[in-house]
Amino acid sequence: MALIVQKFGGTSVGSVERIQAVAQRVYQTVKAGNSLVVVVSAMGKTTDGLVKLANAISTNPSRREMDMLLSTGEQVTIALLSMALQEIGQPAISMTGAQVGIVTEAEHTRARILHIETQRMKRHLNQGKVVVVAGFQGITSIEELEITTLGRGGSDTSAVALAAALQANFCEIYTDVPGILTTDPRIVPEAQLMTEITSDEMLELASLGAKVLHPRAVEIARNYGVPLVVRSSWTDDPGTWVTTPKPQGRSLVNLEIARAVDDVEFDTDQARVALLRVPDKPGVAARLFGEIARQKVDIDLIIQSIHEGNTNDIAFTVTTPILKRAEAVAAAIAPALRNQSNPKTEEAEVMIEQNIAKVSISGAGMIGRPGVAAQMFATLAEAGVNIQMISTSEVKVSCVVSATECDRAVAALRNTFEIEAGKEDTGSVSTPILSTQHSATPVATTGETPATHWLLSTPHSPPPVRGVALDMNQARLAIRQVPDRPGMAAKLFGLLAQHNISVDMIIQSQRCRIVDGIPRRDIAFTVARMDGEKTQKLLAQAATELGWGEIVLDSAIAKVSIVGAGMVGQPGIAAKMFEALAHNQINIQMIATSEIKISCVVAQEQGTQALQVIHAAFGLAGSEKFVVPA
Ligand code: ADP
Ligand code: ASP
Ligand code: MG
């Protein structure tokens, strides 16, 4: 007999008939001999409706009252589903987050889960009842009972956290699509279903805009090794498994806030090539990286900074042995880039830096926990280490620093994040590619006892691009003329972290300008659009104090990203993405990569098209078209 947590999203419980269909599925699973905790969302678009009501009364409602309001949606569904179960003869009991004892931080509207009481649920399970729990909500403490919510889409997180706390055999997320697809089928109906994806890949996709899973749900599944599957509410098809290597035993105390960083890594075998003043128009990145790919040069990080005037800087890192080849390509292409645009402009300039190292912290939920990157930057600042390039992703934050400072940087980071030195001391370290390891995944089919069936997935090389995601809810901020010295990134991101503002795609311009006798660079980054204006205000205050230049906000952007563990060590992936955009006259405003993802910022109105052409370029489209039920 297995203990299973099943979660049903808004559309799946959107009407009385659908709630009855869910009850039937739950009933069948129990009849097959399983114990069940069921987590549900609010019916259909109820939560959106509640947000609208609040906004009709206040432009800036209290976050405590928002939680009080939004948590009601789920309470309706738990009662109705329990009734539907009782009606077909299945004993069931509904429970709110408070009744279960889902204890969270006192951060209204975006609380992280600290602890889950399991006794009460277990007592009901032992009495043969299905426990129906309200998703997306918790309380600050058993004494205070202040209602909190986890953030929009957070019922997935409730479900996986419950599975971790109860040590359930697995967690099933039932939704309105057949599983995790190569991209959002609402935008690309030819998107294909995948049978499995690694938790690192899914973490990236989720945080880059694929809302099929809440990123924090994947984070918990990864950290606690919860087998997780996404399936359709309407069929018995197997869906998509999120695979995770067996994690070390983790304490269930401070479930969602404990230890974000698993490791500190470094690579001293790095060199940087920068092209300054390349024209800001479609096709430039495609040309450069197309040529680089043809020369079979494998690049690591790429950044393209925001344009100043009508030119950009593009920088990338390579391993030292192939630096000469990379440099030759860049040098050959630089004059052509100038001639193409405006012969009167200054020539694009190639800049090489050999004495660099990349230091990284890896774990889960880096973007979702802005304090982690801020802590990394602060640690480097305290150690007097200047950051030359930054790359962020949900599973890794990397900084390029001077090679002579690498040891100091690594020691300081290990100290801060309490990582023991040891296995990584040999120098260059690469990310383990999770999906090439054996992973044991239970095969769940309603009506069987899934825990008795284990599928051992065979090792195979993961595809370079597993999925493509679009985020239309981002804004870009640029700070002009930030003094180029240790501690600036720490100040900036420390400030944002204090206000819980998550930052993605951080880019420092490669060009240094001397203003008032101080070398300065521009820093640009993206944040959630709803944080855009607040961030601009915060930074404007800091700018006066710290001697920064103007703060520029652009909300009319879209971010399109490709994700795949198989892109590591595979030349030409970035080039293909940039070529697809160039071919369709889509200008790239910003580029940022990390090991398993590449993101480009484009104009908002070209976002959808960008997603479609990139998805097609990587041959991800299938012959079948998905129609997502309303
Ligand atoms: P639920 O209410 O069940 O939580 P959501 O609307 O939050 O459902 O998530 C499911 C939706 O996620 C799908 O309808 C689809 O439009 C969207 N989606 C975005 N990216 C993907 C993807 N890569 N695979 C599947 N669905 C995706
Ligand atoms: N009902 C909440 C929302 O719409 C939580 C969820 O559905 O996951 O965001
Ligand atoms: Mg959802």
Side-chain angles (χ1 to χ4, degrees):
M1 179 163 123
L3 173 58
I4 306 171
V5 176
Q6 292 187 336
K7 179 255 170 178
F8 295 88
T11 319
S12 311
V13 292
S15 64
V16 165
E17 292 70 30
R18 285 187 180 167
I19 289 176
Q20 286 167 331
V22 167
Q24 277 300 336
R25 185 185 283 275
V26 169
Y27 181 54
Q28 295 305 327
T29 314
V30 176
K31 269 211 336 213
N34 303 295
S35 285
L36 222 59
V37 170
V38 178
V39 175
V40 285
S41 290
M43 290 172 70
K45 303 246 175 273
T46 301
T47 313
D48 291 338
L50 294 171
V51 171
K52 266 208 195 99
L53 285 176
N55 291 339
I57 287 183
S58 164
T59 50
N60 187 22
S62 135
R63 287 172 43 203
R64 178 189 184 274
E65 302 310 330
M66 275 315 270
D67 279 351
M68 189 64 86
L69 177 68
L70 298 197
S71 60
T72 61
E74 272 68 14
Q75 206 171 322
V76 171
T77 325
I78 52 173
L80 292 176
L81 179 58
S82 294
M83 290 175 197
L85 284 164
Q86 289 161 5
E87 204 58 31
I88 55 178
Q90 171 58 53
I93 181 165
S94 62
M95 294 177 89
T96 63
Q99 287 174 319
V100 169
I102 301 179
V103 180
T104 72
E105 299 172 304
E107 268 285 342
H108 286 293
T109 73
R110 55 178 174 222
R112 281 187 172 253
I113 297 172
L114 301 177
H115 172 73
I116 298 181
E117 300 284 335
T118 54
Q119 302 91 309
R120 216 161 152 190
M121 282 187 291
K122 281 183 179 155
R123 207 169 60 230
H124 292 303
L125 289 171
N126 288 340
Q127 291 165 1
K129 288 182 222 163
V130 167
V131 178
V132 183
V133 179
F136 163 70
Q137 57 176 255
I139 41 160
T140 53
S141 71
I142 305 285
E143 297 77 42
E144 284 192 348
L145 296 169
E146 279 293 310
I147 296 177
T148 50
T149 64
L150 311 184
R152 297 301 307 271
S155 292
D156 298 336
T157 296
S158 307
V160 182
L162 282 165
L166 288 161
Q167 296 179 342
N169 296 71
F170 54 93
C171 179
E172 295 182 310
I173 305 286
Y174 285 94
T175 185
D176 55 8
V177 284
I180 300 164
L181 309 178
T182 48
T183 194
D184 189 341
R186 288 177 204 266
I187 309 177
V188 183
E190 301 80 14
Q192 281 186 83
L193 180 66
M194 21 183 139
T195 50
E196 61 171 29
I197 181 169
T198 67
S199 54
D200 276 17
E201 289 171 316
M202 193 56 226
L203 254 176
E204 298 282 22
L205 277 177
S207 90
L208 293 167
K211 77 164 192 170
V212 62
L213 280 177
H214 199 234
R216 283 161 49 192
V218 189
E219 195 179 314
I220 301 170
R222 176 193 183 274
N223 289 346
Y224 291 92
V226 178
L228 177 63
V229 64
V230 179
R231 304 178 66 184
S232 164
S233 284
W234 338 115
T235 70
D236 281 333
D237 296 339
T240 309
W241 283 95
V242 179
T243 63
T244 303
K246 275 248 170 304
Q248 331 84 308
R250 254 184 200 252
S251 152
L252 286 161
V253 178
N254 288 339
L255 199 132
E256 267 203 276
I257 61 165
R259 209 180 164 84
V261 176
D262 297 331
D263 211 349
V264 172
E265 300 167 0
F266 64 97
D267 184 351
T268 46
D269 195 20
Q270 294 258 316
R272 184 182 69 220
V273 181
L275 258 108
L276 310 187
R277 287 181 285 277
V278 299
D280 179 35
K281 58 179 216 172
V284 171
R287 218 168 138 193
L288 173 64
F289 292 101
E291 191 50 36
I292 285 175
R294 271 184 289 284
Q295 301 295 328
K296 301 250 176 325
V297 173
D298 182 29
I299 44 183
D300 184 9
L301 306 179
I302 304 177
I303 61 170
Q304 178 193 289
S305 57
I306 44 145
H307 64 99
E308 306 172 57
N310 61 350
T311 64
N312 284 323
D313 300 338
I314 299 183
F316 55 95
T317 60
V318 292
T319 55
T320 343
I322 51 175
L323 172 63
K324 280 278 163 285
R325 249 190 302 155
E327 186 181 354
V329 176
I333 217 160
L337 290 180
R338 180 206 39 183
N339 294 344
Q340 256 189 349
S341 79
N342 174 2
K344 274 181 262 157
T345 56
E346 289 176 272
E347 183 170 331
E349 179 193 335
V350 181
M351 220 169 66
I352 305 292
E353 173 64 82
Q354 280 206 52
N355 298 315
I356 58 163
K358 183 174 78 171
V359 294
S360 314
I361 53 173
S362 64
M366 303 283 176
I367 294 172
R369 296 198 231 180
V372 178
Q375 210 178 353
M376 177 186 199
F377 303 151
T379 302
L380 294 177
E382 272 159 37
V385 175
N386 200 25
I387 303 169
Q388 302 181 13
M389 255 167 112
I390 297 170
S391 145
T392 47
S393 85
E394 199 64 312
V395 296
K396 192 167 276 201
V397 182
S398 303
C399 294
V400 169
V401 302
S402 161
T404 53
E405 295 176 333
C406 180
D407 287 351
R408 198 147 38 94
V410 170
L413 291 172
R414 282 191 176 141
N415 189 29
T416 298
F417 295 107
E418 296 172 12
I419 304 292
E420 278 174 42
K423 57 187 196 294
E424 321 298 8
D425 269 350
T426 46
S428 168
V429 174
S430 60
T431 348
I433 297 166
L434 303 178
S435 61
T436 57
Q437 300 171 350
H438 283 279
S439 61
T441 331
V443 179
T445 36
T446 311
E448 279 182 54
T449 307
T452 58
H453 293 250
W454 291 85
L455 173 82
L456 211 51
S457 60
T458 42
H460 50 81
S461 42
V465 178
R466 185 84 76 167
V468 189
L470 175 66
D471 192 340
M472 298 285 265
N473 292 310
Q474 294 266 306
R476 183 185 59 206
L477 282 134
I479 313 173
R480 306 285 185 208
Q481 302 179 7
V482 179
D484 183 31
R485 58 171 174 244
M488 280 301 153
K491 281 235 170 59
L492 173 53
F493 294 100
L495 181 66
L496 299 182
Q498 264 170 32
H499 292 83
N500 223 327
I501 297 170
S502 285
V503 174
D504 185 20
M505 284 188 80
I506 307 171
I507 288 172
Q508 312 188 74
S509 68
Q510 296 303 299
R511 251 174 280 184
C512 227
R513 258 186 301 172
I514 312 280
V515 181
D516 302 331
I518 305 168
R520 294 163 186 271
R521 294 178 197 278
D522 296 350
I523 296 185
F525 54 90
T526 56
V527 297
R529 185 168 303 147
M530 62 176 187
D531 289 332
E533 281 178 19
K534 175 172 142 199
T535 309
Q536 188 182 27
K537 278 206 194 97
L538 271 173
L539 294 178
Q541 283 166 11
T544 347
E545 220 174 282
L546 297 164
W548 298 341
E550 195 191 352
I551 316 289
V552 188
L553 172 67
D554 183 356
S555 293
I557 61 158
K559 185 171 70 183
V560 57
S561 312
I562 57 176
V563 173
M567 71 174 66
V568 181
Q570 176 123 319
I573 304 302
K576 198 177 219 175
M577 180 183 192
F578 304 154
E579 270 155 18
L581 294 174
H583 193 71
N584 290 278
Q585 294 302 311
I586 299 172
N587 194 31
I588 305 172
Q589 302 179 2
M590 255 167 117
I591 301 170
T593 71
S594 78
E595 274 157 37
I596 65 168
K597 73 150 191 203
I598 304 175
S599 300
C600 293
V601 167
V602 301
Q604 170 116 58
E605 68 271 15
Q606 291 181 308
T608 305
Q609 192 199 1
L611 177 77
Q612 288 163 342
V613 301
I614 291 169
H615 188 265
F618 286 98
L620 297 174
S623 46
E624 202 187 322
K625 282 192 191 227
F626 283 107
V627 182
V628 185

